[in-house]
Amino acid sequence: MDLLKWMIRAHEENTKWQNSFSPFSPHPSMEVGDDAFAAVFHDFTKRLEKNYPFFHPSYAGHMVRPPHFAATIGYLATMLVNPNNHAFDGGPATVEMEREVVDQLSAMFGFESSLGHLTTSGTTANLEALYVARELRPGRGVAFSEEAHFTHSRMCRVLGLEGHEVRADRHGRMDVEALEELLRTQQIGTVVLTAGTTGLGAVDPIHDVLALKERYDIRIHVDAAYGGFFTLLRGSGAAEALPPEPWQAISRCDSVVVDPHKHGLQPYGCGAVLFNDPAVDRFYDHDSPYTYCAPAEFNPGETSLECSRAGAAAAALWLTFQVLPPTPSGLGQVLGAGRRAALDWATRIRSSEALELYQEPELDIVTYFPAVRPASTRLVDETSARMLESGAREADPVFLSTLKVRSDALVSRHPGVTADAPEARIIRSVLMKPEFEDFVPRLHDRLEALACSQTTLR
């Protein structure tokens, strides 16, 4: 698609809309001359060049990618209006769009009658889910895996809740036996399960924990901020298909969080929190003497902890879902490409003499490390760090990220490695751009060469 064409069209449509109202003179205090702006814009664009090439498949590091063109155009066109989705009066059009995309997200997870809204981040979305959990299970703590996002322990402190870390198994998933042992103490009111950990991309056994829900009177919250959209690949029968059980179980959990600004192809920040029971809106109950001027209309601010939120975020997601709906045949095709790329690369690494696979990828995160000799955690750590730094400096650069793992976790997966340091950095690559499907062979060759060059420098 011609991005420039539609950016111009967005400006033209906004100008046409503005001209439908009576004319007025802009205040001179807002005027900036072209020459003055040209100078600062030059400096501005130069500073932006310091960014890594998130758009390019040579960037195989963190979970960062540019938004889809539809999201960019939707955000830009709406930003020119700048609606605020706190209340219907602040953004009539975009509040309606938000309700529609929330319904689509709810349907994606199998929530039949739900309450939900967009947020500025997954962190805020998780805060809201834990806030409601605190109100429904007062005086009881929250359990989460040691591989869960640090959001949960931090939000527990914010909310005055006691957080309990549960050990993970050798695949990075919550250990259900360890969880049940903790549940027997009757200290836990809420269990947070992760559908796609940000380190390894591991999916907790949601279906197994669901069997404990009634027995221990717990709420189950699913943090699917990173991996939520992978539910579109559940049980498809294709090479990239995922086991359906944990994803199907989400529909019977109490709440779920997902970040459209990750696999939903949106710009930052766009998160979402969904509750299976609409009656939890009573915990948001409040009033404002000046905000909700259209009481008969839906006001997202009456069911969220946040106040001002960009209506442009809702519009961008709405427009994206019109061309790439959250269905297996829509957005699922994008995720499928990244999943196939991860499986392909894992196969290549398994047969490599220069790289070793840390563990099998569950989603689209591949974790690996240089095959060093002698094999020790200290040497793995040092060589991985050199690969990270050297890769970005080479003439044909490759941009990576590292993941700190405990020595016992590394040795349990690779018994031939000697634990001579408490932890080690390994390499972590998030293949969330579909272009990786074609780029993986080249990327693998680059990483093998990089690993060999760094091990010989030792």
Side-chain angles (χ1 to χ4, degrees):
M1 297 294 293
D2 187 342
L3 183 62
L4 180 59
K5 167 187 172 181
W6 292 104
M7 290 176 72
I8 293 172
R9 179 73 177 272
H11 173 68
E12 291 174 344
E13 291 298 322
N14 178 261
T15 300
K16 185 190 305 182
W17 173 73
Q18 289 187 3
N19 289 340
S20 68
F21 297 90
S22 60
F24 67 97
S25 299
H27 196 276
S29 64
M30 299 282 285
E31 292 182 6
V32 178
D34 278 347
D35 290 342
F37 187 74
V40 296
F41 188 72
H42 176 267
D43 293 341
F44 168 73
T45 54
K46 285 297 179 184
R47 295 189 72 163
L48 286 181
E49 290 176 6
K50 293 180 180 179
N51 283 306
Y52 299 117
F54 303 126
F55 70 96
H56 198 281
S58 64
Y59 183 85
H62 297 289
M63 45 187 70
V64 185
R65 55 156 297 158
H68 190 271
F69 89 91
T72 301
I73 296 303
Y75 203 101
L76 172 65
T78 313
M79 184 181 60
L80 296 173
V81 181
N82 200 29
N84 178 356
N85 267 32
H86 177 64
F88 182 83
D89 291 69
T94 51
V95 164
E96 291 176 356
M97 291 181 187
E98 179 169 350
R99 293 192 71 170
E100 292 176 29
V101 296
V102 165
D103 285 346
Q104 288 177 284
L105 292 172
S106 295
M108 184 178 76
F109 289 115
F111 281 20
E112 293 183 3
S113 177
S114 63
L115 175 79
H117 56 269
L118 300 182
T119 64
T120 52
S121 68
T123 300
T124 303
N126 279 312
L127 170 65
E128 295 207 23
L130 293 182
Y131 159 70
V132 169
R134 184 192 70 180
E135 301 304 294
L136 287 165
R137 296 294 185 276
R140 297 169 66 183
V142 176
F144 43 82
S145 166
E146 62 182 342
E147 293 285 347
H149 198 272
F150 63 84
T151 289
H152 302 291
S153 61
R154 189 170 63 179
M155 293 302 102
C156 282
R157 294 196 299 272
V158 169
L159 292 167
L161 294 168
E162 187 173 356
H164 299 259
E165 192 174 273
V166 181
R167 71 170 178 262
D169 64 18
R170 64 186 306 271
H171 302 289
R173 307 168 189 146
M174 180 182 281
D175 186 305
V176 179
E177 289 186 6
L179 171 65
E180 187 164 16
E181 183 179 343
L182 176 60
L183 293 180
R184 291 192 189 104
T185 68
Q186 297 296 316
Q187 299 178 70
I188 304 302
T190 301
V191 175
V192 175
L193 300 172
T194 306
T197 60
T198 49
L200 298 171
V203 179
D204 284 340
I206 302 168
H207 52 299
D208 291 334
V209 178
L210 197 61
L212 307 175
K213 189 176 189 299
E214 300 301 326
R215 186 184 311 168
Y216 296 101
D217 185 31
I218 54 173
R219 286 180 63 80
I220 297 181
H221 168 59
V222 180
D223 179 1
Y226 175 68
F229 284 99
F230 278 96
T231 190
L232 299 174
L233 302 184
R234 65 185 187 273
S236 67
E240 66 274 14
L242 295 169
E245 293 82 6
W247 305 99
Q248 290 172 342
I250 293 177
S251 67
R252 291 179 287 150
C253 294
D254 294 289
S255 55
V256 63
V257 158
V258 66
D259 273 355
H261 64 215
K262 293 187 174 75
H263 289 96
L265 312 180
Q266 298 306 292
Y268 294 108
C270 184
V273 60
L274 309 170
F275 296 97
N276 218 340
D277 179 10
V280 301
D281 65 352
R282 66 188 185 275
F283 299 116
Y284 291 101
D285 188 36
H286 70 283
D287 195 12
S288 167
Y290 61 88
T291 303
Y292 309 120
C293 301
E297 302 292 348
F298 172 66
N299 296 295
E302 293 182 287
T303 57
S304 73
L305 295 182
E306 292 179 281
C307 290
S308 297
R309 292 177 303 113
L317 184 57
W318 185 90
L319 187 57
T320 305
F321 279 0
Q322 297 306 299
V323 295
L324 281 175
T327 60
S329 60
L331 198 53
Q333 298 300 305
V334 180
L335 277 84
R339 168 82 174 133
R340 290 191 297 271
L343 295 173
D344 179 15
W345 199 4
T347 299
R348 294 171 188 271
I349 293 174
R350 279 195 300 271
S351 61
S352 174
E353 296 183 1
L355 300 170
E356 291 194 45
L357 191 66
Y358 179 70
Q359 73 171 45
E360 292 292 326
E362 282 198 64
L363 303 180
D364 61 0
I365 298 178
V366 183
T367 49
Y368 52 99
F369 58 92
V372 296
R373 299 291 181 271
S376 72
T377 52
R378 188 179 302 278
L379 194 51
V380 166
D381 177 82
E382 293 172 353
T383 310
S384 296
R386 288 201 302 269
M387 289 176 64
L388 175 72
E389 296 173 3
S390 299
R393 293 198 305 262
E394 296 194 353
D396 183 14
V398 59
F399 303 89
L400 307 169
S401 69
T402 55
L403 172 68
K404 288 182 181 178
V405 297
R406 295 197 315 267
S407 61
D408 61 324
L410 178 56
V411 173
S412 69
R413 292 166 171 83
H414 298 272
V417 177
T418 301
D420 58 352
E423 62 183 19
R425 283 165 289 183
I426 61 171
I427 307 296
R428 166 181 167 273
S429 291
V430 183
L431 307 186
M432 65 192 307
K433 295 184 285 284
E435 291 81 7
F436 279 118
E437 186 169 20
D438 296 327
F439 200 78
V440 156
R442 179 179 172 186
L443 189 60
H444 179 72
D445 291 345
R446 289 286 298 111
L447 265 295
E448 281 197 317
L450 186 59
C452 290
S453 69
Q454 294 309 309
T455 53
T456 56
L457 286 175
R458 184 173 56 86

